[in-house]
Amino acid sequence: MFEQSFVDGTGKTHKSWTVVLSFTGQILIVIVLVLIPLIYTDVLPKASLTTFLTAPPPPPPPPPPPPAAPVKIVKVAPRQFDAGRLTAPKTIPKDIAVIKEEDLPPAMSSGGVVGGVPGGVPGGTAGGVIGGIIGGIPSAAPPPPVKAPEKPKTPDRIRVGGNVQAANLIKKQVPVYPPLAKQARISGQVRFTAIIGKDGTIQNLQLISGHPLLVAAAQDAVKQWIYKPTLLNGEPVEVITQIDVNFSLSQ
């Protein structure tokens, strides 16, 4: 029943040139479709062409700087006097004031005129008064006062050598030889720096050198010494001097 519906294989074609011809024709059609837009460019839309060829717009310019503040010019009025000095004006004034001097009175004669003259002193004397301002003889200036010579100030304290001050010794207390120092056969000199007051007594006594066993005895004796007051310009002064106390085993 279905034998007529099947096609017999003997009816197929087996020629290859038809396949090649069909493939070549398809390639040619594709090439033509590609070349047509390249050849006929005026057919392309102008809006898209302008978009591709036009450069982008430049950036907007920067805003202008703010306007500078106006400079105020302060006019300084010129001054004719500056620190007591007269300065020349920088510009020529338009109006110049003219000063008219009044007529001066006639010159006064040395002898004067009867009835006096304007500017005179009522009851004055012709020729002026001696010692006056007008016509007078200026009196001599009084001599400057003579200053009395200043008296030199006397110092309160002076320094005198020990040998010189020893001559002014009025009362001398001989020191007692310490028994311990005598047993130890110790001798020598004790030296002090002393301040003798204005009345001649010992005010201050400072040790300079000496053996410790001899210092106390020497100090007790020197404190009782009395000197003659030292005068300078007739006034008593304090004296700084040096006092030596000798201890000898033979005494």
Side-chain angles (χ1 to χ4, degrees):
M1 179 178 178
F2 295 101
E3 292 179 358
Q4 295 180 359
S5 61
F6 294 99
V7 179
D8 189 6
T10 58
K12 295 180 181 179
T13 178
H14 295 282
K15 293 180 180 181
S16 60
W17 63 270
T18 57
V19 177
V20 174
L21 181 62
S22 176
F23 183 74
T24 304
Q26 294 177 3
I27 292 176
L28 291 176
I29 293 172
V30 171
I31 292 173
V32 170
L33 293 176
V34 172
L35 292 178
I36 287 175
L38 298 177
I39 294 172
Y40 300 98
T41 56
D42 53 348
V43 182
L44 296 175
K46 295 182 180 180
S48 61
L49 209 53
T50 307
T51 304
F52 289 122
L53 299 179
T54 306
V71 180
K72 295 183 179 180
I73 301 175
V74 180
K75 294 184 179 181
V76 180
R79 295 187 301 175
Q80 294 185 352
F81 292 92
D82 188 6
R85 295 178 298 175
L86 181 63
T87 56
K90 296 182 179 179
T91 57
I92 300 175
K94 296 180 179 180
D95 299 332
I96 301 176
V98 179
I99 301 174
K100 294 183 179 181
E101 297 183 356
E102 298 179 359
D103 295 336
L104 297 176
M108 179 179 177
S109 60
S110 60
V113 294
V114 179
V117 295
V121 179
T125 306
V129 180
I130 297 177
I133 299 176
I134 301 176
I137 301 174
S139 59
V146 180
K147 295 183 179 179
E150 296 181 358
K151 187 177 181 181
K153 185 178 180 180
T154 303
D156 295 336
R157 185 178 298 174
I158 61 174
R159 183 178 293 274
V160 179
N163 296 331
V164 176
Q165 190 65 22
N168 296 329
L169 187 58
I170 299 175
K171 179 183 177 182
K172 182 179 181 180
Q173 179 68 30
V174 178
V176 178
Y177 210 115
L180 186 59
K182 202 169 190 179
Q183 291 177 5
R185 309 292 294 176
I186 296 174
S187 61
Q189 186 183 70
V190 180
R191 178 167 294 178
F192 299 99
T193 296
I195 297 178
I196 302 174
K198 296 180 181 181
D199 57 352
T201 58
I202 302 296
Q203 301 293 334
N204 190 8
L205 199 62
Q206 295 181 358
L207 176 66
I208 298 176
S209 62
H211 197 279
L213 294 178
L214 303 176
V215 170
Q219 192 173 11
D220 294 340
V222 171
K223 286 182 178 180
Q224 301 178 27
W225 292 4
I226 298 177
Y227 289 86
K228 181 180 178 181
T230 302
L231 302 178
L232 182 64
N233 297 329
E235 296 182 4
V237 293
E238 294 182 351
V239 176
I240 301 175
T241 187
Q242 181 177 301
I243 298 176
D244 297 333
V245 180
N246 296 318
F247 289 88
S248 177
L249 294 173
S250 60
Q251 67 182 17

